[in-house]
Amino acid sequence: MDRYRGGLRHWLLLRGWTRLIKARARRAEDLGMRCLHVIVPEKLSVYDDKTDGLRYAPGKASTRRLARRLARHPAYLDLLAPLRAARNGATPLYLRTDTHWTAQGCLLAYREIMRALGAVPPADIGGRPGTVSEQIMDLGEKLPERPRERLERFMLQRDAMRVETGPLLAAYEAQGRDREVHVGAHVVYRNPSPGADPRRLVLFGDSCAHFDPFLLTGLLAESFSEVHFIWSSSLDWPYIERVRPDILLFEIAERFLAKLPKDDFDVAVAGQRGTGGRLARLGSDGLGRAVAPQ
């Protein structure tokens, strides 16, 4: 709730983010890349009409204030306004006991991103088959009754294929522990479909994008010829300069704005954390990708 109270510290934090976004955009432009930042709003920022008298100031949400600061800047896309506009639709954009957006909330944001990037979504992307299950979500796990909610997920993957997996994620997947992987997870998807946008996209994001192809990363992988996903709020500029994407996309959940990144991330180093003996069997090339020993 601190992020809804305003004050000098919050003002300084958002000033820091504003400067960082502008600096990233300038550096990307110098490299010939399109740079875009999106922030996934908190439920409290979107559904302030359903908080039953909870005392907080939604008008002071970081997403609202950054949208005002960066209203005319091409490197920032406001997702709060379209999500609020759609909040009373038939399909929930967030579940009651989960911090993440739903598949439909993500799909709405994806369409906004595609529009901002001048890209055309696959015609059937919103009609892909899906799965429905009853799950205990992240907030539900903290409640004594551990309620279950109806979770819908798209089965998006059709044209895109995961062609590279970083050693950290590869090691955890080999042990069936991929749900435990967060910062440092790294994958690359390629899409040979003639209908895919020919541009290469690098996405630095979090669990609202994810390395598995059921949220934002999956939607983008079905839309662009090549998508790199790195789970990090801090950029790895040497990696970006080696990959030379046409588009540099940054996604972060609003709650994680509390810490201003230093952009000193190293994909290769982060990919080696916690991999144990697997790294004795896996090498790493200069892009932090798993390479089988010869």
Side-chain angles (χ1 to χ4, degrees), residues 6-7 25 32 43 46 81 93 109 117 174 188 207 212 215 218 227:
K43 282 188 293 186
V46 176
L93 307 177
L117 295 176
V188 179
S207 55
D212 278 334
L215 284 174
V227 171

Side-chain angles (χ1 to χ4, degrees), residues 237-256:
W237 281 106
Y239 179 92
I240 294 165
E241 290 169 4
R242 287 193 296 269
V243 173
R244 304 294 295 188
D246 302 286
I247 300 166
L248 174 60
L249 178 61
F250 178 82
E251 171 274 319
I252 190 171
E254 183 175 2
R255 60 188 174 278
F256 296 136

Side-chain angles (χ1 to χ4, degrees), residues 71-146:
R72 290 178 292 276
H73 201 287
Y76 185 79
L77 175 63
D78 175 27
L79 294 181
L80 179 60
L83 286 167
R84 284 175 61 85
R87 67 185 181 181
N88 294 319
T91 305
L93 307 177
Y94 296 78
L95 297 178
R96 291 176 61 86
T97 61
D98 193 24
T99 58
H100 303 85
W101 49 20
T102 62
Q104 290 298 328
C106 184
L107 180 63
L108 185 155
Y110 155 80
R111 293 190 185 280
E112 294 292 325
I113 292 168
M114 293 291 281
R115 186 178 299 113
L117 295 176
V120 179
D124 69 334
I125 196 71
R128 299 275 174 97
T131 63
V132 178
S133 60
E134 296 290 324
Q135 299 285 340
I136 301 173
M137 310 310 294
D138 59 1
L139 294 178
E141 290 178 344
K142 297 175 172 60
L143 299 174
E145 61 271 25
R146 295 174 64 82

